């Protein structure tokens, strides 16, 4: 694994706009960056792929373990009024679309799971589409060898997954939704709508804020059309606390991501996995902050059960807080995870996102920052396989 300088495409900003990648720069700071790329060997990619597939299966075992365990559901701070909804979504095998593991990995030691963004992961469009266009352009320009490749079957697998929804579950139409205040989320949803159309699955968009309830307790869009299948880029822990949460259990809408994903996207999955698979080479020692065992860790990362993009995370190294990020999370509780520093490449901390579509590893993305905590504005860099 190497960080290698490369000549940026002279027209990449124009291409970004042409392809709808409007958030390539945010708050006058670059988000997409291509003055360097990360090079991997085939062996390193195999190691990331194997770890992703194994951790995903381990995570599903964790769901099975706790789905009817009231003590664990309480530990996860999942509201009691939605326990039946979550359990039924698992027992009925409600299908999932995608998720993303975050790994610390340097190509030398096994990938370490930092968390599983299983419910509302972003960076999807740039991972699946725009970095692939980068690879093709740089090979055509002679800046990458002709045999260069990329670990990236994300778009292909997304289209296959939508086709699976259509054939196996008999879904003839679906809605997709996100909040109205984020350009990145809207871009992600537009990309997923295109993938669904490529699978010949008709779809409509509705903002979360515009979803209604009719007299029969059915969710509806702005045209009062019944929402029978909904992909929502909106966290379950927030949905569970909305007024309309009481209508979730009527099973009149198939939700994607399904309710059981609320278990995997919760940072509480980290101590649960550690208790189930202690000393696994891809896991880091983790405990609930209130548990006595948390005192075993002299250096740890304190993470809220519910958090996005590094918010409210703090790093404690031998009793000293060495980094922390502000945010709105934390009132539900925290976990402590053994501190495992992200690898540094030319003074940049580097995080690998490893994508899962359905139940299969599908590709990776790279985020880097000068800071120790990766957040929403951390730079995105493309990658290539160079053997």
């Amino acid at each position: 694994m190497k960080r290698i300088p490369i000549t940026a495409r002279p027209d990449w900003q124009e291409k970004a706009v042409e392809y709808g990648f409007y958030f390539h720069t945010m708050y006058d700071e670059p988000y997409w960056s291509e003055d360097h790329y990360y090079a991997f060997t085939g062996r390193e990619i195999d190691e990331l792929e194997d770890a992703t597939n194994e951790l995903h299966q381990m995570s599903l075992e964790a769901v099975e373990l706790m789905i009817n365990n009231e003590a664990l559901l309480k530990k996860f701070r999942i509201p009691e009024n939605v326990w039946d909804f979550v359990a039924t979504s698992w027992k009925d095998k409600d299908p999932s679309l995608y998720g993303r593991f975050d790994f610390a990995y340097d190509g030398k030691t096994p990938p370490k799971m930092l968390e599983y963004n299983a419910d509302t992961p972003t960076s999807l469009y740039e991972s699946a589409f725009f970095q692939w266009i980068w690879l093709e352009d740089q090979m055509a320009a002679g800046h990458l060898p002709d045999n260069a490749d990329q670990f990236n079957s994300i778009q292909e697998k997304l289209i296959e997954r939508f086709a699976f929804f259509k054939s196996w579950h008999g879904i003839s139409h679906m809605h997709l939704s996100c909040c109205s205040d984020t350009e990145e989320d809207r871009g992600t949803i537009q990309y997923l709508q295109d993938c669904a159309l490529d699978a010949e699955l008709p779809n409509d968009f509705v903002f979360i804020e515009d979803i209604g309830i009719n007299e029969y307790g059915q969710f509806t869009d702005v045209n009062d059309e019944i929402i029978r299948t909904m992909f929502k880029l909106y966290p379950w822990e927030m949905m569970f606390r909305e007024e309309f949460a009481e209508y979730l259990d009527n099973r009149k809408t198939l939700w994607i991501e399904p309710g059981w994903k609320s278990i995997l996207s919760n940072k509480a999955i980290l101590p649960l996995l550690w208790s189930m698979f202690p000393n696994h080479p891809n896991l880091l020692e983790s405990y609930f902050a209130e548990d006595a065992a948390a005192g075993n860790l002299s250096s740890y990362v304190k993470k809220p059960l519910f958090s996005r993009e590094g918010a409210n995370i703090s790093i404690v190294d031998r009793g000293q807080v060495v980094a922390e990020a502000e945010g709105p999370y934390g009132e539900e509780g925290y976990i402590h995870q053994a501190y495992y520093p992200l690898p540094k490449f030319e003074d940049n901390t580097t995080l690998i996102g490893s994508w899962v579509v359905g139940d299969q590893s599908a590709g990776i993305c790279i985020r880097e920052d000068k800071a120790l905590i990766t957040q929403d504005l951390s730079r995105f860099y493309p990658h290539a396989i160079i053997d």
Side-chain angles (χ1 to χ4, degrees), residues 247-312:
Y247 299 100
L248 289 172
D249 205 28
N250 62 23
R251 305 295 291 165
K252 294 178 180 178
T253 298
L254 175 65
W255 295 95
I256 304 171
E257 302 298 333
W260 56 264
K261 277 289 193 83
S262 63
I263 295 171
L264 298 187
S265 62
N266 190 316
K267 302 300 186 298
I269 195 69
L270 300 170
L272 178 57
L273 285 172
W274 181 256
S275 70
M276 294 172 64
F277 306 97
N279 301 310
H280 188 282
N282 299 124
L283 294 177
L284 294 169
E285 191 173 0
S286 301
Y287 305 100
F288 290 95
E290 66 270 20
D291 291 350
N296 297 340
L297 302 174
S298 61
S299 296
Y300 59 89
V301 181
K302 182 181 178 183
K303 298 181 176 182
L305 299 189
F306 307 130
S307 176
R308 294 292 186 278
E309 302 287 1
N312 296 101

Side-chain angles (χ1 to χ4, degrees), residues 8 36 94 182 195 229 236 272 285 290 301 326 337 339 359:
H36 290 75
D94 287 355
T182 165
C195 290
T229 302
W236 273 119
L272 178 57
E285 191 173 0
E290 66 270 20
V301 181
E326 296 181 349
Q337 182 184 55
Y339 179 39
D359 294 312

Side-chain angles (χ1 to χ4, degrees), residues 85 95 97 119 162 165 171 173-178 189 201 203-212 219-222 225-234 236 239 244 248 252-259:
F85 167 73
L97 182 57
D119 186 21
F162 280 117
F165 294 162
I171 297 170
H173 178 274
M174 69 185 301
H175 286 78
L176 295 93
S177 185
C178 68
I189 291 294
L201 179 56
N203 59 82
D204 285 307
F205 174 79
V206 58
F207 283 118
I208 285 286
E209 296 89 340
D210 293 333
I211 295 174
F219 293 95
T220 59
D221 64 15
V222 291
E225 294 291 331
I226 296 170
I227 297 172
R228 303 191 185 279
T229 302
M230 165 67 83
F231 174 88
K232 49 86 193 163
L233 200 64
Y234 187 65
W236 273 119
M239 286 188 68
F244 59 64
L248 289 172
K252 294 178 180 178
T253 298
L254 175 65
W255 295 95
I256 304 171
E257 302 298 333

Side-chain angles (χ1 to χ4, degrees), residues 8-27:
R9 296 169 295 170
D11 61 344
W12 75 260
Q13 288 95 337
E14 289 80 4
K15 281 197 170 184
V17 173
E18 176 187 353
Y19 290 123
F21 187 12
Y22 300 114
F23 51 94
H24 62 77
T25 301
M26 292 188 281
Y27 307 104

Side-chain angles (χ1 to χ4, degrees), residues 154-166:
I154 304 168
Q155 180 164 299
E156 173 188 342
K157 284 184 168 66
L158 285 170
I159 295 169
E160 290 174 353
R161 194 64 177 165
F162 280 117
F164 168 76
F165 294 162
K166 182 180 175 183

Side-chain angles (χ1 to χ4, degrees), residues 72-115:
L72 283 173
L73 289 166
K74 290 177 180 177
K75 277 275 198 183
F76 275 60
R77 303 297 191 267
I78 295 175
E80 188 170 349
N81 64 306
V82 297
W83 286 358
D84 287 343
F85 167 73
V86 173
T88 302
S89 74
W90 176 252
K91 292 171 185 174
D92 288 354
K93 295 182 171 58
D94 287 355
S96 65
L97 182 57
Y98 73 106
R100 192 194 73 234
F101 285 98
D102 283 346
F103 287 146
Y105 181 64
D106 59 4
K108 301 171 186 175
T109 55
K112 299 296 185 182
M113 175 185 171
L114 302 179
E115 58 187 62

